[in-house]
């Protein structure tokens, strides 16, 4: 049993050059420091209105070094549930806006790291206990749009899922090929405007559908079979598109009713090898989300991000909307609440994906959570920029550490081998 001897907060910088909170937790047996853990809060750009709220970073750091430190001194670091309960009580608001979600998530995660370090285990192993684990199946962004590329395309993420890959490392090998092929295709047609917030190509497409056709082309160019080896996942991030009850596609200069949006998505599902669609409708468009899930939920993952904001309560009240939940620790604030949402998803028969934010850092905690908790999918952004690559590379290290002793890599179980 290790006790918390000190908690320290500091102001550091994220992948967008914006300030964020780092927390460090030092633990020991008796008064002698034994181990420490560290974590950095990420930040979203396309956020759901129900998310836990970040506050001014200087203020958040003050809270870490002041009231939060005081409340946690001498606490048993292994008792994550009690630590998180204490943080929630100390904050006392529904949206974590007093202490700040950025302060709370950094401290909550740093405690988990410190507990693992005190047990002399990597975090994923500490969380998994003796349970066998597998690496998650990645969703990797190829083109970035929406709020992450000033609306270059209306859809936020065009992602690759290597459904036919036999391992995590093979999925990354294939992704590297497709990512490069996609960039080369854009450059050749003079449509490459740079990279977006999460490292995906910033495209100059003429329509949103062009991104789908281009991604299929890039998969083929890289020597893979679309729909058999590699498939597509989309994050529409539709909350960002809804104004006055209609979904605005600025790139195409038109706006759609929810029914027209559904018709467009269903047509795309027929025409392209899509296995997953996130936030296809806005966070408050409950009727549309339910109707779409009814129409397509048996064929494709329908993922709630803004729609569920990692809330166990919202997931339990879903009433048939979506079939998959995105798990973002900073969206809800603490590790225990994220775990509760994951546990509820299993109980309710929903799939789950652990996800990074668009504002990230070298922090690799989410990879450990996905592996340690056994969440079979992981979304981190694209295949460039070190805040993303740090996470993919951490997955490779874990895969190596597991050697032959891992569960079967879940890609084929989740997505089967589909016909093109
Ligand atoms: C999302 C995330 C990550 P953000 O919408 O899923 O892509 O974006 O962190 O900006 O909410
Ligand atoms: Mg999203």
């Amino acid at each position: 049993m290790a006790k918390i001897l000190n908690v320290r907060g500091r102001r550091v910088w994220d992948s967008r050059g914006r300030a964020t909170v780092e927390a460090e937790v030092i633990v020991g047996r008796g008064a002698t420091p034994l181990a420490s853990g560290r974590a950095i809060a990420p930040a979203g750009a396309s956020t759901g209105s129900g998310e836990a709220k970040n506050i001014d970073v200087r203020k958040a750091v003050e809270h870490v070094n002041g009231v939060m430190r005081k409340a946690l001194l001498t606490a048993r670091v292994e008792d994550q549930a009690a630590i998180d309960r204490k943080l929630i009580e100390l904050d006392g608001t529904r949206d974590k806006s007093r202490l700040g979600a950025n302060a709370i998530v950094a401290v909550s995660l740093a405690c988990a790291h410190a507990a693992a370090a005190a047990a002399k285990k990597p975090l994923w192993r500490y969380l998994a206990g003796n349970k066998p684990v597998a690496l998650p199946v990645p969703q990797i962004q190829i083109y970035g749009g929406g709020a992450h590329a000033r609306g270059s395309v209306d859809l936020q993420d065009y992602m690759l899922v290597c459904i036919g890959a036999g391992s995590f490392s093979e999925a990354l090998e294939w992704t590297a090929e497709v990512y490069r092929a996609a960039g080369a295709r854009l450059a050749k047609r003079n449509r490459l405007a740079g990279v977006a917030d999460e490292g995906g190509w910033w495209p100059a497409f003429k329509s949103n559908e062009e991104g789908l056709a281009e991604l299929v082309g890039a998969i083929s160019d890289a020597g893979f079979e679309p729909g058999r080896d590699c498939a597509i996942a989309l994050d529409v991030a539709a909350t960002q598109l809804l104004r006055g009850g209609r979904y605005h596609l600025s790139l195409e200069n038109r706006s759609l009713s929810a029914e027209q949006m559904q018709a467009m998505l269903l047509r795309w599902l027929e025409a392209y090898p899509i296995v997953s669609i996130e936030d296809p409708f806005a966070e408050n468009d409950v009727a549309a989300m339910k109707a779409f899930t009814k129409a397509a939920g048996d064929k494709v993952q329908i993922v709630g991000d803004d729609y569920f904001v990692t809330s166990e309560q919202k997931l339990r009240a879903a009433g048939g909307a979506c079939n998959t939940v995105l798990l973002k620790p900073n969206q809800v604030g603490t590790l225990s609440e994220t775990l509760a949402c994951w546990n509820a998803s299993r109980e309710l028969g929903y799939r789950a994906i652990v996800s990074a934010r668009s504002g990230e850092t070298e922090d690799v905690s989410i990879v450990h959570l996905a592996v340690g908790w056994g969440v079979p999918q992981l979304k981190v952004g694209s295949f460039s920029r070190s805040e993303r690559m740090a996470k993919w590379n951490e997955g490779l290290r874990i895969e190596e550490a597991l050697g032959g002793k891992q569960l079967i890599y879940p890609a084929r179980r989740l997505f089967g081998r589909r016909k093109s």
Side-chain angles (χ1 to χ4, degrees):
M1 190 185 90
K3 289 197 165 170
I4 296 180
L5 301 181
N6 204 1
V7 179
R8 223 180 277 145
R10 67 175 68 89
R11 196 162 173 266
V12 295
W13 301 93
D14 76 6
S15 54
R16 283 192 274 245
R18 294 187 191 154
T20 186
V21 182
E22 177 170 87
E24 193 160 345
V25 170
I26 293 136
V27 298
R29 303 209 163 87
T32 320
L34 172 77
S36 67
R38 215 169 57 194
I40 308 178
S46 71
T47 48
S49 62
E51 292 196 19
K53 299 284 179 294
N54 289 343
I55 63 165
D56 171 74
V57 172
R58 288 184 204 279
K59 195 94 220 135
V61 168
E62 259 174 45
H63 290 323
V64 175
N65 288 323
V67 283
M68 293 167 81
R69 174 180 179 276
K70 202 161 149 220
L72 294 182
L73 285 182
T74 75
R76 273 192 60 203
V77 75
E78 293 84 0
D79 199 346
Q80 185 77 40
I83 288 169
D84 289 339
R85 253 195 324 270
K86 214 173 243 181
L87 294 174
I88 291 165
E89 274 165 27
L90 192 64
D91 174 77
T93 67
R94 280 181 49 211
D95 58 4
K96 315 267 192 309
S97 57
R98 196 173 86 81
L99 297 178
N102 37 0
I104 293 175
V105 79
V107 170
S108 179
L109 279 168
C111 286
H113 280 286
K120 297 196 167 43
K121 288 181 181 158
L123 180 57
W124 64 267
R125 173 50 74 202
Y126 175 76
L127 294 172
N130 292 326
K131 284 203 286 293
V133 294
L135 268 292
V137 176
Q139 292 197 345
I140 305 185
Q141 188 195 62
I142 304 297
Y143 312 117
H148 301 158
R150 271 191 242 122
S152 63
V153 272
D154 299 292
L155 267 53
Q156 186 179 284
D157 299 303
Y158 294 80
M159 294 171 287
L160 184 74
V161 187
C162 295
I163 56 175
S167 66
F168 181 81
S169 45
E170 188 170 48
L172 297 191
E173 297 285 343
W174 294 11
T175 301
E177 301 293 330
V178 175
Y179 180 71
R180 266 198 296 274
R185 283 177 75 94
L186 286 175
K188 204 161 129 200
R189 293 162 59 224
N190 235 348
R191 295 276 174 83
L192 183 57
V195 293
D197 263 7
E198 299 188 7
W201 302 118
W202 181 316
F205 292 140
K206 295 224 158 63
S207 70
N208 291 287
E209 188 171 352
E210 190 186 339
L212 293 167
E214 271 297 290
L215 185 45
V216 168
I219 292 169
S220 300
D221 286 359
F224 301 107
E225 197 180 316
R228 184 180 157 81
D229 300 322
C230 303
I232 296 173
L234 296 176
D235 183 0
V236 180
T239 306
Q240 304 280 326
L241 307 178
L242 189 68
R243 279 191 308 280
R246 293 179 73 81
Y247 291 92
H248 290 259
L249 302 178
S250 322
L251 180 64
E252 300 168 21
N253 214 359
R254 61 190 182 124
S255 72
L256 308 179
S257 66
E259 291 74 23
Q260 290 167 324
M261 182 82 164
Q262 166 161 326
M264 181 184 78
L265 294 174
L266 290 176
R267 189 173 60 72
W268 285 357
L269 287 182
E270 289 299 316
Y272 302 97
I274 297 169
V275 292
S276 189
I277 305 188
E278 184 177 323
D279 285 348
F281 294 92
E283 60 181 13
N284 51 12
D285 202 346
V286 177
M289 198 66 105
K290 286 185 180 169
F292 185 59
T293 307
K294 204 161 175 199
D298 57 337
K299 295 193 273 287
V300 68
Q301 287 185 165
I302 300 170
V303 187
D305 171 14
D306 294 352
Y307 196 79
F308 289 133
V309 291
T310 317
S311 154
E312 179 197 351
Q313 291 74 20
K314 283 194 179 7
L315 186 65
R316 288 192 185 280
C322 304
N323 56 26
T324 306
V325 58
L326 212 63
L327 301 172
K328 292 171 163 171
N330 85 319
Q331 218 168 30
V332 64
T334 65
L335 200 56
S336 302
E337 289 162 288
T338 313
L339 178 61
C341 191
W342 161 230
N343 286 336
S345 72
R346 282 188 289 189
E347 185 193 317
L348 299 168
Y350 276 63
R351 289 184 175 189
I353 306 168
V354 169
S355 172
R357 303 308 306 247
S358 49
E360 274 291 337
T361 64
E362 67 274 24
D363 187 289
V364 295
S365 305
I366 56 162
V367 185
H368 288 257
L369 301 186
V371 176
W373 287 344
V375 183
Q377 295 181 70
L378 177 66
K379 175 185 168 189
V380 158
S382 193
F383 210 65
S384 78
R385 306 195 4 165
S386 291
E387 79 279 5
R388 314 290 151 186
M389 304 320 287
K391 295 167 182 64
W392 302 130
N393 290 341
E394 187 73 352
L396 290 176
R397 287 181 205 107
I398 298 173
E399 185 179 55
E400 185 187 283
L402 283 167
K405 290 200 289 288
Q406 52 184 305
L407 292 175
I408 294 169
Y409 179 68
R412 290 173 193 163
R413 169 172 65 77
L414 289 171
F415 300 110
R417 276 224 170 203
R418 297 158 69 96
K419 287 210 298 295
S420 49

